Amino acid sequence: MHPTERLKGIAIFVAVAEVGSFTAAAQRLNLTNSAVGKAIARLEERLGNRLFERSTRRLRLTDAGHAYRQVCVQVLEDLEAAERALTSDDAVPSGRLRVDLPATFGRLRAWPALLQFAGMHPQVMPHVSFTDRFVDLVEDGVDVAVRIGGADNDVWPAALDHRTLGHEELIFCAAPAYLDIHGAPSSRVELLEHAAVLYGRADGSASPWLLRAESGPVVRQPMTGRAVLGNAEALVSAVEAGLGVAQLATWLVARQIAEGRLVAILPQLTTQGLPLHIVWQCSRSHAPKVQALIAHLVATLHIGA
């Protein structure tokens, strides 16, 4: 099949999915009902899947149709963006921009930067998700993602490019009221005697503390938690409430420490944590909206205190 015919079939399919009928799609595209029906039939035959459930009352997308529509919409948007970039002397960032952010870091640090970016580029339409699950940028149609933590074995997929902006800085901290009762630890040995507030993983286990020895590498120290919480902001609130000591990233607790609600302890045990990355699809790296966002995040995102 000629590429132009394939693109034509995609455009017809997207139109039918949007309006929910062959007749309305035909009117929108200035085609006959027969031409629209034949285009969908050819598309389903080529894909080997039914894209619509047909009844006398309405037309509904199948599961395969929903998945295919998501891809087709992105293809058409990318084509439109490429044409705008080639025909515009100024290459103004514009169009829908899919961004994925870590839930807590995204809300506290990356989202303010994105709001500023949106104000600078009124023709860009941000579509932002906040999640701590692994997101496949290609499969999910994400243009740019912010990630805390790297790829497995530090090997990135060929379809992705990335830039590392630094690493978390992990410190131990506790509430003043807790330290008034239990005293501030003055050594690593004393620290291990304190109640620990730990981050809980999805499998039910608790993340260990990372402890720097006086000489030697950082070691992972399993702890019995006074409380184990699977949300970073809940973890901070538990420490503020005096439940114990936690090891937390400075970007997460900088405000609480500045306001005196938390106290940093044993600064000599400060440890490097996970890396911060900006990740994007290589195929979209030349889009003005993607280039502009990457440059803005590089200039504004800071992972330290």
Side-chain angles (χ1 to χ4, degrees), residues 270-283:
T270 298
T271 305
Q272 186 180 86
L274 295 171
L276 173 69
H277 302 289
I278 302 172
V279 189
W280 61 92
Q281 292 195 48
C282 295
S283 62

Side-chain angles (χ1 to χ4, degrees), residues 199-208 228 230:
Y199 182 80
R201 302 189 183 102
D203 62 4
S205 62
S207 295
V228 179

Side-chain angles (χ1 to χ4, degrees), residues 38-51:
K38 288 178 180 178
I40 298 300
R42 286 194 297 269
L43 190 57
E44 290 179 327
E45 182 179 0
R46 188 174 82 242
L47 297 174
N49 273 287
R50 292 185 65 82
L51 300 174

Side-chain angles (χ1 to χ4, degrees), residues 2 238 294:
H2 194 276
I294 292 170

Side-chain angles (χ1 to χ4, degrees), residues 7 10-11 14-15 18 68-87 92-99 123-128 137-138 140-144 281 283-284 286-290:
L7 283 174
I10 287 175
V14 170
E18 287 180 351
Y68 190 59
R69 177 185 177 277
Q70 183 177 0
V71 174
C72 290
V73 167
Q74 189 63 61
V75 168
L76 295 175
E77 287 180 352
D78 287 347
L79 181 60
E80 181 182 358
E83 290 178 350
R84 283 198 303 266
L86 290 173
T87 57
V92 176
S94 61
R96 181 173 178 266
L97 182 61
R98 278 282 286 114
V99 184
Q123 296 185 48
V124 174
M125 297 171 288
H127 184 141
V128 185
L137 274 70
V138 176
D140 293 343
V142 173
D143 296 299
V144 180
Q281 292 195 48
S283 62
R284 303 180 187 178
H286 296 295
K289 61 184 179 182
V290 172

Side-chain angles (χ1 to χ4, degrees), residues 2 14 20 31 36 47 96 101 109 148 156 161 194 212-213 228 233 235 246 300:
H2 194 276
V14 170
L31 297 171
V36 171
L47 297 174
R96 181 173 178 266
L101 304 175
R109 292 301 180 93
I148 295 182
W156 294 84
D161 202 352
H194 279 260
R212 182 177 300 281
V228 179
E233 290 174 280
L235 192 66
T300 57

